[in-house]
Short mmCIF file of all heavy atoms in Angstrom, two decimals:
data_model
loop_
_atom_site.label_atom_id
_atom_site.label_comp_id
_atom_site.label_asym_id
_atom_site.label_seq_id
_atom_site.Cartn_x
_atom_site.Cartn_y
_atom_site.Cartn_z
N PHE A 1 -20.14 14.06 -11.51
CA PHE A 1 -20.93 14.19 -10.28
C PHE A 1 -20.78 12.91 -9.47
O PHE A 1 -21.08 11.82 -9.96
CB PHE A 1 -22.41 14.41 -10.60
CG PHE A 1 -22.74 15.78 -11.13
CD1 PHE A 1 -22.53 16.10 -12.46
CD2 PHE A 1 -23.29 16.75 -10.29
CE1 PHE A 1 -22.85 17.36 -12.96
CE2 PHE A 1 -23.61 18.01 -10.77
CZ PHE A 1 -23.38 18.31 -12.10
N PHE A 2 -20.35 13.05 -8.21
CA PHE A 2 -20.20 11.89 -7.33
C PHE A 2 -21.48 11.60 -6.55
O PHE A 2 -21.59 10.54 -5.93
CB PHE A 2 -19.02 12.10 -6.38
CG PHE A 2 -17.71 12.23 -7.11
CD1 PHE A 2 -17.05 13.44 -7.17
CD2 PHE A 2 -17.15 11.14 -7.75
CE1 PHE A 2 -15.85 13.57 -7.83
CE2 PHE A 2 -15.95 11.25 -8.43
CZ PHE A 2 -15.29 12.48 -8.48
N LYS A 3 -22.40 12.56 -6.55
CA LYS A 3 -23.70 12.37 -5.89
C LYS A 3 -24.78 12.58 -6.95
O LYS A 3 -25.11 13.73 -7.29
CB LYS A 3 -23.86 13.36 -4.74
CG LYS A 3 -22.83 13.20 -3.64
CD LYS A 3 -23.00 14.28 -2.57
CE LYS A 3 -21.96 14.12 -1.46
NZ LYS A 3 -22.08 15.21 -0.45
N PRO A 4 -25.34 11.51 -7.48
CA PRO A 4 -26.33 11.63 -8.56
C PRO A 4 -27.49 12.56 -8.23
O PRO A 4 -28.04 13.21 -9.12
CB PRO A 4 -26.81 10.19 -8.75
CG PRO A 4 -25.65 9.35 -8.32
CD PRO A 4 -25.04 10.10 -7.16
N ASP A 5 -27.84 12.67 -6.94
CA ASP A 5 -28.97 13.53 -6.59
C ASP A 5 -28.65 15.01 -6.74
O ASP A 5 -29.54 15.86 -6.65
CB ASP A 5 -29.45 13.24 -5.16
CG ASP A 5 -28.37 13.48 -4.12
OD1 ASP A 5 -27.18 13.52 -4.48
OD2 ASP A 5 -28.71 13.63 -2.93
N MET A 6 -27.37 15.34 -7.00
CA MET A 6 -26.99 16.73 -7.20
C MET A 6 -27.12 17.15 -8.67
O MET A 6 -26.98 18.33 -8.99
CB MET A 6 -25.55 16.98 -6.73
CG MET A 6 -25.34 16.77 -5.24
SD MET A 6 -23.65 17.17 -4.72
CE MET A 6 -23.66 18.96 -4.86
N VAL A 7 -27.38 16.20 -9.55
CA VAL A 7 -27.45 16.51 -10.99
C VAL A 7 -28.63 17.43 -11.28
O VAL A 7 -28.50 18.44 -11.97
CB VAL A 7 -27.55 15.21 -11.82
CG1 VAL A 7 -27.83 15.54 -13.28
CG2 VAL A 7 -26.27 14.40 -11.68
N GLY A 8 -29.79 17.08 -10.76
CA GLY A 8 -30.96 17.93 -10.90
C GLY A 8 -31.24 18.36 -12.32
O GLY A 8 -31.37 17.54 -13.24
N HIS A 9 -31.30 19.68 -12.53
CA HIS A 9 -31.62 20.23 -13.85
C HIS A 9 -30.38 20.44 -14.71
O HIS A 9 -30.44 21.13 -15.72
CB HIS A 9 -32.36 21.56 -13.68
CG HIS A 9 -31.59 22.57 -12.86
ND1 HIS A 9 -31.63 22.60 -11.50
CD2 HIS A 9 -30.76 23.56 -13.22
CE1 HIS A 9 -30.86 23.57 -11.04
NE2 HIS A 9 -30.31 24.18 -12.08
N PHE A 10 -29.24 19.85 -14.31
CA PHE A 10 -27.98 20.09 -15.04
C PHE A 10 -28.06 19.74 -16.53
O PHE A 10 -27.47 20.45 -17.35
CB PHE A 10 -26.83 19.31 -14.40
CG PHE A 10 -25.50 19.65 -14.99
CD1 PHE A 10 -24.81 20.79 -14.61
CD2 PHE A 10 -24.93 18.83 -15.96
CE1 PHE A 10 -23.59 21.12 -15.19
CE2 PHE A 10 -23.72 19.14 -16.54
CZ PHE A 10 -23.04 20.30 -16.14
N PRO A 11 -28.76 18.66 -16.94
CA PRO A 11 -28.83 18.38 -18.38
C PRO A 11 -29.34 19.57 -19.20
O PRO A 11 -28.90 19.77 -20.34
CB PRO A 11 -29.78 17.19 -18.46
CG PRO A 11 -29.60 16.48 -17.15
CD PRO A 11 -29.41 17.59 -16.16
N PHE A 12 -30.23 20.36 -18.63
CA PHE A 12 -30.74 21.52 -19.35
C PHE A 12 -29.68 22.62 -19.42
O PHE A 12 -29.55 23.32 -20.43
CB PHE A 12 -32.02 22.03 -18.68
CG PHE A 12 -33.14 21.03 -18.69
CD1 PHE A 12 -33.38 20.24 -17.59
CD2 PHE A 12 -33.93 20.86 -19.82
CE1 PHE A 12 -34.41 19.30 -17.59
CE2 PHE A 12 -34.95 19.93 -19.84
CZ PHE A 12 -35.20 19.14 -18.73
N LEU A 13 -28.92 22.79 -18.34
CA LEU A 13 -27.82 23.76 -18.35
C LEU A 13 -26.76 23.35 -19.37
O LEU A 13 -26.19 24.18 -20.08
CB LEU A 13 -27.20 23.86 -16.96
CG LEU A 13 -28.10 24.35 -15.83
CD1 LEU A 13 -27.37 24.25 -14.49
CD2 LEU A 13 -28.56 25.77 -16.08
N HIS A 14 -26.51 22.05 -19.43
CA HIS A 14 -25.53 21.50 -20.37
C HIS A 14 -25.94 21.80 -21.81
O HIS A 14 -25.13 22.27 -22.63
CB HIS A 14 -25.43 19.99 -20.13
CG HIS A 14 -24.31 19.32 -20.84
ND1 HIS A 14 -24.43 18.07 -21.40
CD2 HIS A 14 -23.03 19.71 -21.09
CE1 HIS A 14 -23.28 17.72 -21.94
NE2 HIS A 14 -22.41 18.70 -21.78
N LYS A 15 -27.20 21.57 -22.11
CA LYS A 15 -27.71 21.85 -23.45
C LYS A 15 -27.67 23.34 -23.76
O LYS A 15 -27.23 23.76 -24.84
CB LYS A 15 -29.14 21.31 -23.57
CG LYS A 15 -29.85 21.70 -24.87
CD LYS A 15 -29.18 21.11 -26.10
CE LYS A 15 -29.95 21.48 -27.36
NZ LYS A 15 -29.32 20.92 -28.58
N ARG A 16 -28.13 24.15 -22.83
CA ARG A 16 -28.20 25.60 -23.06
C ARG A 16 -26.82 26.20 -23.31
O ARG A 16 -26.68 27.17 -24.06
CB ARG A 16 -28.86 26.29 -21.86
CG ARG A 16 -29.14 27.77 -22.09
CD ARG A 16 -29.72 28.43 -20.87
NE ARG A 16 -28.74 28.51 -19.79
CZ ARG A 16 -28.91 29.25 -18.69
NH1 ARG A 16 -30.02 29.94 -18.54
NH2 ARG A 16 -27.98 29.27 -17.75
N SER A 17 -25.80 25.61 -22.73
CA SER A 17 -24.44 26.15 -22.86
C SER A 17 -23.81 25.85 -24.22
O SER A 17 -22.73 26.38 -24.53
CB SER A 17 -23.55 25.57 -21.77
OG SER A 17 -23.30 24.20 -22.01
N GLY A 18 -24.44 24.98 -25.00
CA GLY A 18 -23.86 24.60 -26.28
C GLY A 18 -22.86 23.47 -26.19
O GLY A 18 -22.16 23.17 -27.15
N GLN A 19 -22.77 22.82 -25.00
CA GLN A 19 -21.79 21.75 -24.81
C GLN A 19 -22.38 20.35 -25.00
O GLN A 19 -21.65 19.37 -24.91
CB GLN A 19 -21.16 21.88 -23.42
CG GLN A 19 -20.35 23.14 -23.22
CD GLN A 19 -19.16 23.23 -24.16
OE1 GLN A 19 -18.40 22.27 -24.33
NE2 GLN A 19 -18.99 24.37 -24.80
N LEU A 20 -23.68 20.25 -25.22
CA LEU A 20 -24.28 18.95 -25.55
C LEU A 20 -24.09 18.73 -27.05
O LEU A 20 -24.94 19.09 -27.86
CB LEU A 20 -25.75 18.92 -25.17
CG LEU A 20 -26.49 17.59 -25.44
CD1 LEU A 20 -25.84 16.44 -24.68
CD2 LEU A 20 -27.96 17.72 -25.10
N ILE A 21 -22.97 18.14 -27.39
CA ILE A 21 -22.55 18.03 -28.79
C ILE A 21 -23.19 16.80 -29.44
O ILE A 21 -23.24 15.72 -28.85
CB ILE A 21 -21.02 17.95 -28.86
CG1 ILE A 21 -20.42 19.24 -28.28
CG2 ILE A 21 -20.54 17.74 -30.28
CD1 ILE A 21 -18.94 19.17 -28.09
N SER A 22 -23.66 16.96 -30.65
CA SER A 22 -24.34 15.85 -31.32
C SER A 22 -23.39 14.67 -31.53
O SER A 22 -23.77 13.52 -31.35
CB SER A 22 -24.92 16.32 -32.65
OG SER A 22 -23.90 16.81 -33.51
N LYS A 23 -22.16 14.94 -31.93
CA LYS A 23 -21.17 13.87 -32.15
C LYS A 23 -20.36 13.65 -30.87
O LYS A 23 -19.13 13.69 -30.89
CB LYS A 23 -20.26 14.23 -33.32
CG LYS A 23 -20.98 14.49 -34.64
CD LYS A 23 -21.71 13.25 -35.13
CE LYS A 23 -22.23 13.43 -36.55
NZ LYS A 23 -23.21 14.52 -36.68
N MET A 24 -21.04 13.42 -29.78
CA MET A 24 -20.39 13.29 -28.49
C MET A 24 -19.38 12.15 -28.45
O MET A 24 -18.43 12.17 -27.66
CB MET A 24 -21.44 13.08 -27.39
CG MET A 24 -20.91 13.27 -25.98
SD MET A 24 -20.41 14.97 -25.65
CE MET A 24 -22.02 15.72 -25.37
N ARG A 25 -19.54 11.19 -29.33
CA ARG A 25 -18.62 10.04 -29.31
C ARG A 25 -17.18 10.45 -29.58
O ARG A 25 -16.26 9.76 -29.16
CB ARG A 25 -19.07 8.99 -30.32
CG ARG A 25 -18.99 9.39 -31.79
CD ARG A 25 -19.60 8.29 -32.66
NE ARG A 25 -19.44 8.49 -34.09
CZ ARG A 25 -20.26 9.18 -34.85
NH1 ARG A 25 -21.33 9.76 -34.29
NH2 ARG A 25 -20.06 9.30 -36.15
N PHE A 26 -16.98 11.58 -30.27
CA PHE A 26 -15.61 12.01 -30.55
C PHE A 26 -14.91 12.55 -29.30
O PHE A 26 -13.69 12.60 -29.25
CB PHE A 26 -15.60 13.06 -31.66
CG PHE A 26 -16.03 12.52 -32.99
CD1 PHE A 26 -17.07 13.10 -33.69
CD2 PHE A 26 -15.41 11.41 -33.53
CE1 PHE A 26 -17.48 12.59 -34.91
CE2 PHE A 26 -15.80 10.89 -34.76
CZ PHE A 26 -16.84 11.48 -35.45
N ILE A 27 -15.67 12.97 -28.32
CA ILE A 27 -15.08 13.36 -27.04
C ILE A 27 -14.98 12.15 -26.12
O ILE A 27 -13.95 11.90 -25.50
CB ILE A 27 -15.92 14.47 -26.37
CG1 ILE A 27 -16.01 15.69 -27.29
CG2 ILE A 27 -15.29 14.87 -25.03
CD1 ILE A 27 -16.87 16.79 -26.74
N SER A 28 -16.05 11.36 -26.07
CA SER A 28 -16.06 10.17 -25.21
C SER A 28 -14.95 9.20 -25.57
O SER A 28 -14.29 8.63 -24.69
CB SER A 28 -17.42 9.46 -25.32
OG SER A 28 -18.47 10.30 -24.97
N SER A 29 -14.74 9.00 -26.85
CA SER A 29 -13.71 8.04 -27.29
C SER A 29 -12.33 8.49 -26.85
O SER A 29 -11.49 7.66 -26.47
CB SER A 29 -13.77 7.85 -28.80
OG SER A 29 -13.58 9.08 -29.48
N GLN A 30 -12.07 9.79 -26.90
CA GLN A 30 -10.78 10.30 -26.43
C GLN A 30 -10.58 10.00 -24.95
O GLN A 30 -9.54 9.46 -24.54
CB GLN A 30 -10.70 11.81 -26.63
CG GLN A 30 -10.61 12.30 -28.05
CD GLN A 30 -10.50 13.81 -28.07
OE1 GLN A 30 -9.54 14.38 -27.59
NE2 GLN A 30 -11.51 14.47 -28.64
N LEU A 31 -11.57 10.39 -24.13
CA LEU A 31 -11.43 10.22 -22.69
C LEU A 31 -11.40 8.75 -22.29
O LEU A 31 -10.69 8.37 -21.34
CB LEU A 31 -12.57 10.93 -21.97
CG LEU A 31 -12.45 12.46 -21.91
CD1 LEU A 31 -13.72 13.08 -21.36
CD2 LEU A 31 -11.25 12.87 -21.06
N LYS A 32 -12.15 7.92 -23.01
CA LYS A 32 -12.12 6.48 -22.71
C LYS A 32 -10.71 5.93 -22.95
O LYS A 32 -10.17 5.15 -22.12
CB LYS A 32 -13.13 5.75 -23.59
CG LYS A 32 -13.11 4.23 -23.50
CD LYS A 32 -13.47 3.73 -22.12
CE LYS A 32 -13.80 2.23 -22.14
NZ LYS A 32 -12.73 1.41 -22.71
N ALA A 33 -10.10 6.31 -24.07
CA ALA A 33 -8.72 5.87 -24.34
C ALA A 33 -7.74 6.46 -23.33
O ALA A 33 -6.79 5.81 -22.91
CB ALA A 33 -8.33 6.28 -25.76
N TYR A 34 -8.01 7.68 -22.91
CA TYR A 34 -7.14 8.42 -22.01
C TYR A 34 -7.04 7.75 -20.64
O TYR A 34 -5.95 7.64 -20.07
CB TYR A 34 -7.68 9.84 -21.90
CG TYR A 34 -7.02 10.74 -20.89
CD1 TYR A 34 -5.70 11.18 -21.07
CD2 TYR A 34 -7.72 11.21 -19.78
CE1 TYR A 34 -5.11 12.04 -20.16
CE2 TYR A 34 -7.14 12.07 -18.87
CZ TYR A 34 -5.83 12.48 -19.06
OH TYR A 34 -5.25 13.34 -18.16
N ILE A 35 -8.18 7.30 -20.10
CA ILE A 35 -8.16 6.72 -18.75
C ILE A 35 -7.99 5.20 -18.76
O ILE A 35 -7.95 4.58 -17.70
CB ILE A 35 -9.44 7.09 -17.96
CG1 ILE A 35 -10.68 6.53 -18.63
CG2 ILE A 35 -9.53 8.59 -17.77
CD1 ILE A 35 -11.95 6.73 -17.83
N SER A 36 -7.91 4.62 -19.94
CA SER A 36 -7.72 3.17 -20.04
C SER A 36 -6.23 2.85 -20.10
O SER A 36 -5.41 3.65 -20.54
CB SER A 36 -8.41 2.63 -21.30
OG SER A 36 -9.81 2.83 -21.23
N ASP A 37 -5.88 1.67 -19.64
CA ASP A 37 -4.50 1.16 -19.71
C ASP A 37 -3.49 2.13 -19.09
O ASP A 37 -2.34 2.21 -19.53
CB ASP A 37 -4.12 0.88 -21.17
CG ASP A 37 -5.03 -0.14 -21.82
OD1 ASP A 37 -5.41 -1.11 -21.13
OD2 ASP A 37 -5.38 0.04 -23.00
N ASN A 38 -3.95 2.92 -18.11
CA ASN A 38 -3.06 3.82 -17.36
C ASN A 38 -2.40 4.89 -18.24
O ASN A 38 -1.36 5.44 -17.87
CB ASN A 38 -1.97 3.04 -16.62
CG ASN A 38 -2.26 2.96 -15.14
OD1 ASN A 38 -3.32 3.37 -14.67
ND2 ASN A 38 -1.32 2.42 -14.38
N VAL A 39 -2.99 5.21 -19.38
CA VAL A 39 -2.41 6.21 -20.27
C VAL A 39 -2.25 7.54 -19.54
O VAL A 39 -1.19 8.17 -19.60
CB VAL A 39 -3.27 6.38 -21.54
CG1 VAL A 39 -2.83 7.61 -22.32
CG2 VAL A 39 -3.15 5.14 -22.42
N TRP A 40 -3.32 7.98 -18.86
CA TRP A 40 -3.25 9.29 -18.21
C TRP A 40 -2.19 9.34 -17.13
O TRP A 40 -1.53 10.37 -16.94
CB TRP A 40 -4.62 9.69 -17.67
CG TRP A 40 -5.25 8.78 -16.65
CD1 TRP A 40 -5.06 7.43 -16.49
CD2 TRP A 40 -6.19 9.16 -15.64
NE1 TRP A 40 -5.85 6.95 -15.46
CE2 TRP A 40 -6.55 7.99 -14.92
CE3 TRP A 40 -6.79 10.36 -15.29
CZ2 TRP A 40 -7.46 8.00 -13.86
CZ3 TRP A 40 -7.70 10.37 -14.24
CH2 TRP A 40 -8.02 9.21 -13.54
N ILE A 41 -1.99 8.22 -16.43
CA ILE A 41 -0.98 8.16 -15.37
C ILE A 41 0.42 8.16 -15.97
O ILE A 41 1.33 8.85 -15.48
CB ILE A 41 -1.20 6.93 -14.48
CG1 ILE A 41 -2.59 6.99 -13.83
CG2 ILE A 41 -0.11 6.84 -13.42
CD1 ILE A 41 -2.85 8.22 -12.99
N ARG A 42 0.62 7.40 -17.04
CA ARG A 42 1.93 7.40 -17.68
C ARG A 42 2.29 8.78 -18.20
O ARG A 42 3.43 9.25 -18.05
CB ARG A 42 1.95 6.39 -18.84
CG ARG A 42 1.89 4.93 -18.42
CD ARG A 42 2.44 4.02 -19.53
NE ARG A 42 1.80 4.27 -20.81
CZ ARG A 42 0.68 3.67 -21.21
NH1 ARG A 42 0.06 2.82 -20.41
NH2 ARG A 42 0.18 3.93 -22.40
N ASN A 43 1.33 9.43 -18.83
CA ASN A 43 1.59 10.77 -19.37
C ASN A 43 1.95 11.75 -18.27
O ASN A 43 2.89 12.54 -18.39
CB ASN A 43 0.36 11.28 -20.12
CG ASN A 43 0.13 10.55 -21.41
OD1 ASN A 43 0.94 9.72 -21.82
ND2 ASN A 43 -0.98 10.82 -22.06
N ALA A 44 1.17 11.72 -17.19
CA ALA A 44 1.41 12.65 -16.08
C ALA A 44 2.72 12.33 -15.37
O ALA A 44 3.44 13.25 -14.94
CB ALA A 44 0.25 12.59 -15.10
N THR A 45 3.05 11.06 -15.26
CA THR A 45 4.32 10.67 -14.64
C THR A 45 5.49 11.24 -15.42
O THR A 45 6.45 11.78 -14.84
CB THR A 45 4.43 9.14 -14.56
OG1 THR A 45 3.37 8.62 -13.75
CG2 THR A 45 5.77 8.71 -13.96
#
């Protein structure tokens, strides 16, 4: 979300959908590595 005021009740939708994962770090760690050191750009290039 680029406009924080648009988030609203989204955390509840996120939870209800089953996507609020308890071990969220396993997804976050992937994406953090992915966008660091230009990995995503090198891969796409």
Side-chain angles (χ1 to χ4, degrees):
F1 287 81
F2 297 109
K3 298 176 181 178
D5 60 341
M6 297 183 72
V7 172
H9 57 275
F10 187 81
F12 298 98
L13 298 174
H14 191 218
K15 172 64 178 180
R16 188 183 68 167
S17 71
Q19 296 298 313
L20 181 60
I21 298 170
S22 60
K23 302 297 190 298
M24 194 66 78
R25 67 185 187 273
F26 293 125
I27 302 177
S28 302
S29 58
Q30 290 182 64
L31 284 171
K32 174 63 166 55
Y34 173 68
I35 62 174
S36 297
D37 301 321
N38 256 6
V39 169
W40 59 333
I41 300 302
R42 291 202 307 272
N43 290 354
T45 298

